[in-house]
Amino acid sequence: MKDKVLAVLNEPSVQTINFALPKTFPMNGIDFKLVIKAIENGTIRVEEGGVPAGMAKYTAQDDGDSKANTMYLGQNNTSEIVFKSLMVHEAVHAIYDLKRMTIPWLDNEVIAYVSQGFYLNKHGYSGGLSQEAKLGQEIATNINEQAKDPFWLDALIDYLRNDDVYKLYICKTFVGDG
Ligand SMILES: [Zn+2]
């Protein structure tokens, strides 16, 4: 699984995910190289399981049964491209951890979903996505309009704030500790 994640993060379609959204940090795809290096040298681990099928998560600090600096990938229950896009999403969280950034969880999730959206677009994929992933893809598709008319961005923020999974922590702060 580790090799699979490395192969995805090494794709040019990942390292060219560059965008800037209003009122948050710009995304620079070259930063995925930090995650590649960390996985290669064992600073970040990749584990199969630990989350339900079709899900993934990155844990920056020890949290219950989840270990720090670990990307957990549930069994793939959907298309290969969606599965790979989850790796891109979690790698964004890993970037902020490696860069020791303290940022609102909301920004962290928005940038992860939009990066995932860019990845799906670059592979021409649509359909069969969670609502958040679908909105992230709409933002990626309409990236140039978001500064003037952040319709899709506002929709994603609203969804994240109200989703049962995310509302537990979306108003909190993510603290990257390397
Ligand atoms: Zn996330």
Side-chain angles (χ1 to χ4, degrees), residues 20-22 114 135 138-155:
L21 286 165
V114 176
L135 292 169
E138 289 289 0
I139 296 168
T141 306
N142 300 286
I143 194 74
N144 295 327
E145 283 106 82
Q146 298 308 302
K148 264 195 222 153
D149 177 15
F151 176 82
W152 295 109
L153 182 57
D154 288 345

Side-chain angles (χ1 to χ4, degrees), residues 56-58 89-90 93 105 108-110 112-113 116 166 169:
K57 75 171 177 182
Y58 175 77
H89 177 118
E90 301 311 327
H93 299 324
W105 256 115
N108 197 352
E109 288 299 352
V110 164
Y113 272 114
Q116 190 178 349
Y166 289 98
Y169 67 88

Side-chain angles (χ1 to χ4, degrees), residues 94-153:
I95 288 172
Y96 294 127
D97 185 20
L98 290 167
K99 293 182 104 173
R100 297 170 191 267
M101 284 176 73
T102 297
I103 67 168
W105 256 115
L106 185 65
D107 295 53
N108 197 352
E109 288 299 352
V110 164
I111 294 167
Y113 272 114
V114 176
S115 300
Q116 190 178 349
F118 269 96
Y119 183 79
L120 293 165
N121 277 350
K122 284 173 192 235
H123 289 275
Y125 186 88
S126 65
L129 298 168
S130 71
Q131 188 62 19
E132 287 94 342
K134 209 190 296 178
L135 292 169
Q137 191 173 25
E138 289 289 0
I139 296 168
T141 306
N142 300 286
I143 194 74
N144 295 327
E145 283 106 82
Q146 298 308 302
K148 264 195 222 153
D149 177 15
F151 176 82
W152 295 109
L153 182 57

Side-chain angles (χ1 to χ4, degrees), residues 3-21:
D3 290 341
K4 190 162 197 166
V5 174
L6 287 172
V8 170
L9 300 183
N10 269 306
E11 284 181 32
S13 65
V14 171
Q15 294 183 14
T16 53
I17 295 174
N18 303 309
F19 62 88
L21 286 165

